[in-house]
Amino acid sequence: MKASLLLVLACTAVLAAGARADAPGEPEALVRKVQEYAQKATAMAKTAFSVVQESEVAQQARRWLADNADLAKQRLAWLKEQLAELWKRMPAA
């Protein structure tokens, strides 16, 4: 769930709860309804993120990133060695 969609849903809930309030003197009901909605939205977001994190695609992506991070480190070390050799060969100015 995108953050912008979650924000729109939260605003809609606030407006709906305000429209459902019986009288302006009952802000506690509005606050309670907004808190309930926020708890439900938080639980849904946590569930969605858990499902995404546990998916096979996410696990494959993590493995791919780990493997390529090692390859990038190896290439960076090789490049450092080459630059050190080049630096040694350059005449002093």
Side-chain angles (χ1 to χ4, degrees), residues 1-2 41-55:
M1 210 186 270
K2 292 188 178 182
T42 301
M44 287 175 55
K46 285 181 181 179
T47 302
F49 286 130
S50 295
V51 168
V52 169
Q53 285 180 337
E54 294 171 2
S55 71

Side-chain angles (χ1 to χ4, degrees), residues 86-93:
L86 182 62
W87 187 259
K88 287 179 186 176
R89 293 182 188 168
M90 291 196 52

